[in-house]
Amino acid sequence: MECTNPNPKIIIAVDGYSSCGKSTFAKAIAARLGYIFIDTGAMYRAVTLYALDRGAIRSGVVDEDAVEALLDEITIDFRFNPVRGASDIYVNGDLAENRIRTIEVSNCVSAVSAIAEVRRRLVAMQQSMGRSRGIVMDGRDIGTTVFPDAEIKLFMTADPKVRAQRRYDELRAKGDEVSFDEILSNVLARDHADTTRAVSPLRKADDAVVLDNSTMTVDEQMEWFLGLFDQRTAAGRR
Ligand code: DC
């Protein structure tokens, strides 16, 4: 009897605006297909954290030359955490999963991710992670720059007010005293920074499929995605 792999190993690129639920959805796709999941935003955050720790960012001012000088000494790796059922990021061997999500890192990561040499290094790392395929990678430039030949490219978007409301609910649930207007202006500012930076700005790849999840649940998104996956991989399975 012939053995067939029910899930052919392809590359799935998930790009889009911040706070659209990209990572949650990309992680769910990877779990469903038995693929590796890589959150590239975490990698830009890891470089930012290291730069803060090493004094290359002071009082919110990023010294680009100093950040570039640190790149040779940073190692980033992901290790599966069975308790979370997801991978944690390590910077030079130290667990950094929680520290990369602080507001201090969030405030500086746009500036760090705009440095061309930072992008060059991280893109090369991401390309080597995808060498054996069977990967879902989420970010801003995956379908345009990292894997322009990805078999499936998703471009996720949602109404800014819906995105702000989701983040507001999340932060409030954690006990953070934030206002909705503050969150909405942060979402709009990040959209502006991501789409207007000189190097690899966020844009939809010509062959990406738009997923506007303003009024969709994760289950509805998954159902939609599995239809697309079947359609795109059917030729390879016949
Ligand atoms: O997905 P995130 O919000 O954790 O990403 C953090 C920052 O990194 C965000 O400001 C955009 C940037 N980023 C990027 O420039 N390219 C990527 N591939 C992923 C993230």
Side-chain angles (χ1 to χ4, degrees), residues 14-19 22-23 39-45 48 100-101 105-106 108-114 119 122-123 126 137-142 146 190 193-194 197 199-202:
V14 182
D15 290 304
Y17 292 96
S18 66
S19 308
K22 285 191 305 293
S23 293
D39 169 2
T40 62
M43 298 170 75
Y44 288 93
R45 287 173 179 273
T48 306
I100 60 163
R101 314 268 170 209
V105 170
S106 298
C108 300
V109 66
S110 285
V112 171
S113 65
R119 301 204 72 83
L122 293 189
V123 166
Q126 291 152 10
M137 195 172 272
D138 94 87
R140 303 294 191 286
D141 59 343
I142 312 305
V146 181
R190 291 226 277 158
D194 286 349
R197 71 165 171 244
V199 192
S200 286
L202 169 66

Side-chain angles (χ1 to χ4, degrees), residues 24-237:
T24 307
F25 188 46
K27 205 181 296 172
I29 293 173
R32 182 73 181 240
L33 300 178
Y35 277 22
I36 291 166
F37 160 67
I38 298 291
D39 169 2
T40 62
M43 298 170 75
Y44 288 93
R45 287 173 179 273
V47 172
T48 306
L49 174 67
Y50 193 74
L52 279 161
D53 284 350
R54 299 299 305 272
I57 304 173
R58 286 177 200 271
S59 312
V61 178
V62 178
D63 178 338
E64 295 194 9
D65 292 338
V67 173
E68 283 184 24
L70 292 175
L71 291 172
D72 278 338
E73 50 184 84
I74 307 181
T75 59
I76 295 174
D77 60 289
F78 289 92
R79 300 182 201 165
F80 189 72
N81 174 343
V83 176
R84 274 197 330 119
S87 292
D88 289 331
I89 194 164
Y90 285 73
V91 180
N92 288 12
D94 294 329
L95 177 64
E97 188 60 36
N98 289 332
R99 293 191 66 218
I100 60 163
R101 314 268 170 209
T102 60
I103 193 76
E104 196 187 14
V105 170
S106 298
N107 285 339
C108 300
V109 66
S110 285
V112 171
S113 65
I115 302 172
E117 186 58 17
V118 169
R119 301 204 72 83
R120 201 180 66 74
R121 300 281 186 114
L122 293 189
V123 166
M125 249 186 242
Q126 291 152 10
Q127 287 170 334
S128 75
M129 289 169 172
R131 207 160 281 150
S132 34
R133 315 180 80 74
I135 193 165
V136 188
M137 195 172 272
D138 94 87
R140 303 294 191 286
D141 59 343
I142 312 305
T144 51
T145 306
V146 181
F147 296 121
D149 297 329
E151 287 87 346
I152 295 184
K153 298 181 186 179
L154 303 183
F155 189 84
M156 288 181 66
T157 183
D159 186 298
K161 284 197 177 131
V162 172
R163 291 189 275 140
Q165 187 68 49
R166 288 176 186 158
R167 275 198 72 203
Y168 175 79
D169 293 343
E170 237 170 60
L171 292 170
R172 281 293 187 148
K174 277 203 265 169
D176 284 1
E177 290 294 319
V178 286
S179 77
F180 177 78
D181 287 347
E182 183 188 353
I183 299 292
L184 180 60
S185 59
N186 178 268
V187 164
L188 295 172
R190 291 226 277 158
D191 286 358
H192 182 75
D194 286 349
T195 51
T196 57
R197 71 165 171 244
V199 192
S200 286
L202 169 66
R203 69 170 182 82
K204 184 185 101 54
D206 293 339
D207 51 351
V209 184
V210 175
L211 170 59
D212 182 334
N213 67 10
S214 302
T215 60
M216 288 170 93
T217 63
V218 173
D219 285 348
E220 287 167 341
Q221 294 173 65
M222 183 59 76
E223 197 177 318
W224 170 86
F225 171 78
L226 291 174
L228 179 71
F229 182 82
D230 273 349
Q231 193 189 325
R232 294 285 173 93
T233 56
R237 275 190 278 169

